[in-house]
């Protein structure tokens, strides 16, 4: 990997600023300036939080359903199975994030090894 | 490691308070979760053809895992800048109530707004959770320094994880590379599920996952926004319906 590849181009960094940095900092700075007058339990915030959670859920689904890079080499059933196995262990271990992640990974690696 | 008592002379220097904040990252399992999550983000950035500098800048200046994976995934799969910016903006709205609720924990009558700038920038779900846990054990006038130390420590851990993940994705065999990439959906799914205390959150998470493949079939380019808005609004409806009945 060359040095230039590690740096990338300025265009991608500009996109990061416009689509990533600004949309996040707006909310933090609004919180800094106008904090205090907002009711945390207000109905609008409940809806906003639900939509934000569902957007993140969609991205999680996108990575599993239309996987990038090396993850695409894992068969569909194995990817879905790994998430399912992780979820079962997560629920059985009283919501241990660590146990869920390990179980999902082990399922995927074992499946890959078994399929050859 | 236990923090010194509130009246200890250890708290007299703001730098000592910063150092205590920095050391506190060793006192939480969330540091491990963050490391694993950012390992995955580094690998995801590599396999979605972003540079290492780009990945590190996103961690440093965006500092919100969900926003970072939304950005990488949408831009990497060919969404326009506007579409990505909208999805990230919506995902980031939750930072607003977090900042609003966490800053009063550190404010004194003499605190100037600019002194809270870094604390506001560092606020994301992990710091928010840890502030509620640690700050009652820190004297009020040293809390900003403590939080800056804690945040600096967490950001450093994540920058390291990004770099390791990026190079692992570049050099590992395909199977192990896939395993690193799988860390992202797994860790986000379970940490979001763990933070979902209300029914609306659980419904939003489950429906958001189930509706995405349907929305993707419409091929509008706005898949994530469509499934997110529909699933989130239904989840809010469930919440509203339960409130009305209660």
């Amino acid at each position: 990997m060359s040095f230039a590849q590690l740096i990338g181009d300025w265009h991608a960094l500009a996109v990061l600023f416009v689509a990533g940095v600004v949309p996040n900092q707006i909310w933090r700075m609004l919180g800094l300036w106008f904090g205090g007058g907002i009711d945390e339990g207000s109905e609008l915030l409940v809806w906003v939080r639900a939509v934000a959670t569902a957007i993140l859920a969609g991205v999680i689904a996108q990575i599993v359903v239309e996987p990038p890079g090396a993850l695409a080499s894992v068969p569909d059933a194995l990817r879905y199975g790994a998430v399912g196995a992780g979820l079962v262990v997560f629920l059985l271990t009283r919501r241990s994030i660590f146990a869920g992640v390990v179980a999902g990974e082990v399922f995927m690696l074992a499946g890959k090894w078994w399929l050859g | 490691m236990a923090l010194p008592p509130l009246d200890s002379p250890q708290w007299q220097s703001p730098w000592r308070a910063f150092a205590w904040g920095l050391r506190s990252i060793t006192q939480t399992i969330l540091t491990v979760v963050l490391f694993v999550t950012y390992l995955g983000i580094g690998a995801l950035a590599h396999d979605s053809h972003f540079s290492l500098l780009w990945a590190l800048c996103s961690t440093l200046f965006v500092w919100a895992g969900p926003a970072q994976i939304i950005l990488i995934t949408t831009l990497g799969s060919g969404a326009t800048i506007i579409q990505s910016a909208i999805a990230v903006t919506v995902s980031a709205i939750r930072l607003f109530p977090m900042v609003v609720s966490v800053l009063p924990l550190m404010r004194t009558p003499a605190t100037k707004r600019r002194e809270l700038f870094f604390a506001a920038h560092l606020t994301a779900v992990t710091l928010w959770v840890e502030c509620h846990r640690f700050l009652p054990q820190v004297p009020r006038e040293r809390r900003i320094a403590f939080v800056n130390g804690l945040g600096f420590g967490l950001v450093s851990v994540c920058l390291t994880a990004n770099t390791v993940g990026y190079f692992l994705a570049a050099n590992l065999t395909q199977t192990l590379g896939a395993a690193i990439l799988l860390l992202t959906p797994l860790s986000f799914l379970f940490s979001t599920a763990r933070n979902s205390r209300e029914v609306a959150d659980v419904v939003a998470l489950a429906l958001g996952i189930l509706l995405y493949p349907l929305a993707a079939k419409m091929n509008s380019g706005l898949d994530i926004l469509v499934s997110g808005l529909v699933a989130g609004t239904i989840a809010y409806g469930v919440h509203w319906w339960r409130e009305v009945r209660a």
Side-chain angles (χ1 to χ4, degrees):
Chain A
M1 203 184 306
S2 73
F3 184 70
Q5 274 177 308
L6 293 178
I7 300 297
D9 59 289
W10 66 269
H11 178 251
L13 289 173
V15 170
L16 168 65
F17 185 79
V18 172
V21 178
V22 171
N24 277 278
Q25 297 307 353
I26 281 178
W27 297 113
R28 288 187 174 118
M29 293 308 129
L30 279 175
L32 180 59
W33 279 89
F34 300 109
I38 283 286
D39 174 13
E40 251 196 280
S42 81
E43 292 294 294
L44 181 64
L45 283 183
V46 174
W47 178 74
V48 162
R49 208 178 55 212
V51 172
T53 303
I55 286 182
L56 180 60
V59 170
I60 293 170
Q62 187 180 0
I63 295 177
V64 178
V65 176
E66 298 156 15
L71 195 54
S73 70
V74 178
D76 289 354
L78 204 44
R79 292 196 308 274
Y80 303 145
V83 174
L87 187 63
V88 168
V89 170
F90 169 76
L91 294 173
L92 288 178
T93 52
R94 290 210 230 145
R95 299 185 168 200
S96 162
I97 301 173
F98 189 73
V101 170
V102 170
E105 291 285 348
V106 168
F107 186 96
M108 196 273 273
L109 289 172
K112 264 285 232 187
W113 177 78
W114 190 67
L115 291 172
Chain B
M1 181 196 87
L3 291 173
L6 285 175
D7 54 1
S8 160
Q10 292 254 19
W11 290 114
Q12 275 172 12
S13 146
W15 288 106
R16 285 291 272 283
F18 182 91
W20 279 111
L22 194 56
R23 286 172 66 178
S24 296
I25 64 168
T26 60
Q27 300 303 299
T28 163
I29 184 71
L30 290 182
T31 304
V32 179
V33 174
L34 267 189
F35 186 87
V36 168
T37 304
Y38 277 81
L39 203 65
I41 290 178
L44 189 65
H46 176 270
D47 279 29
S48 307
H49 312 292
F50 290 95
S51 70
L52 177 62
L53 179 72
W54 192 97
L56 295 178
C57 283
S58 84
T59 297
L60 201 53
F61 298 118
V62 175
W63 187 238
Q68 288 174 255
I69 68 158
I70 291 171
L71 194 60
I72 294 172
T73 308
T74 52
L75 289 175
S77 61
T80 66
I81 299 172
I82 302 287
Q83 288 163 356
S84 298
I86 294 173
V88 172
T89 304
V90 177
S91 85
I93 297 177
R94 81 211 140 75
L95 295 173
F96 177 71
M98 275 184 211
V99 170
V100 168
S101 70
V102 88
L103 293 188
L105 299 175
M106 325 168 198
R107 205 176 260 138
T108 68
T111 305
K112 294 191 183 63
R113 195 171 272 145
R114 61 185 155 78
E115 295 171 50
L116 291 165
F117 176 81
F118 284 110
H121 169 67
L122 292 167
T123 300
V125 66
T126 304
L127 192 93
W128 183 72
V129 170
E130 296 303 338
C131 279
H132 285 281
R133 194 161 73 103
F134 285 124
L135 288 187
Q137 306 166 53
V138 179
R140 184 165 278 275
E141 64 276 17
R142 291 289 169 258
R143 286 181 180 174
I144 296 177
F146 180 89
V147 168
N148 286 342
L150 180 64
F152 180 81
L154 293 175
V155 171
S156 308
V157 165
C158 292
L159 291 175
T160 309
N162 273 162
T163 310
V164 173
Y166 196 90
F167 283 108
L168 284 180
N171 296 306
L172 284 179
T173 62
Q174 201 174 42
T175 299
L176 289 177
I180 304 268
L181 286 172
L182 190 64
L183 288 174
T184 307
L186 291 176
S187 68
F188 273 98
L189 176 62
F190 302 140
S191 54
T192 311
R194 204 183 150 87
N195 288 332
S196 300
R197 295 203 185 84
E198 291 178 33
V199 181
D201 300 327
V202 178
V203 175
L205 182 61
L207 265 186
I209 289 175
L210 295 176
L211 287 186
Y212 171 75
L214 291 179
K217 283 212 166 61
M218 299 185 341
N219 240 333
S220 61
L222 295 165
D223 318 338
I224 292 281
L225 290 176
V226 171
S227 67
L229 261 176
V230 173
T233 305
I234 293 174
Y236 174 76
V238 171
H239 158 85
W240 182 82
W241 188 65
R242 285 170 55 101
E243 293 271 291
V244 168
R245 275 203 325 172

